[in-house]
Amino acid sequence: MNASILRGKTTWQGTPGTLSIDGASFCATLELPWRNNENDLSCVPCGSYECAIYHSPKHGPIYLLQNVPGRSYCEIHPYNWAGAVDHGYKAEALGCIALGTVITKLPPQMMIRNSMVTVDRFMKQMGGKPFTLQISGVEWWDNLTGEAA
């Protein structure tokens, strides 16, 4: 199986996107804003990554992106908030990818909903097998607006 994430506009509140599996839309995604690939502050750079099961001490068995330039432990795991903390927003991630059913706004910030259920469904769909993840879309720092996408 192959998966892809098409990102929308990155903002101080996070970077929303859509994940597809073998070309079929599967769920929403949320990541930190693009911040020039800064460790613990930025979403994953656009590119192609091999993903394999990893036993995270915090999240249990999840998928880990392999060979992310300048980064380590970029996981796909449940969380709800992915904003720039230094701009007053909540974040529960350090450069990982959240999955959920929908991106909504709980003022003052966008968030992803039903993340735990969606990650569980994704894990079952992928069956523990390695896959390639292609990430594309907007990642320009100049596009940060602070408004929900």
Side-chain angles (χ1 to χ4, degrees), residues 9-14 33-35 140-146:
K9 186 176 180 182
T10 190
T11 76
W12 293 119
Q13 297 177 37
W34 173 250
R35 297 182 85 168
W140 300 294
W141 182 245
D142 293 344
N143 283 347
L144 290 172
T145 64

Side-chain angles (χ1 to χ4, degrees), residues 41-107:
L41 297 176
S42 182
C43 60
V44 174
C46 289
S48 184
Y49 303 99
E50 294 303 313
C51 299
I53 291 291
Y54 164 72
H55 293 277
S56 167
K58 186 173 182 181
H59 306 289
I62 47 85
Y63 279 98
L64 180 71
L65 283 66
Q66 309 290 311
N67 302 315
V68 177
R71 305 275 288 280
S72 58
Y73 300 104
C74 294
E75 304 172 349
I76 298 173
H77 68 79
Y79 63 85
N80 300 106
W81 309 96
V85 174
D86 58 339
H87 285 265
Y89 295 105
K90 296 179 190 177
E92 299 173 316
L94 297 172
C96 298
I97 301 169
L99 308 180
T101 55
V102 67
I103 302 289
T104 61
K105 190 164 185 175
L106 186 60

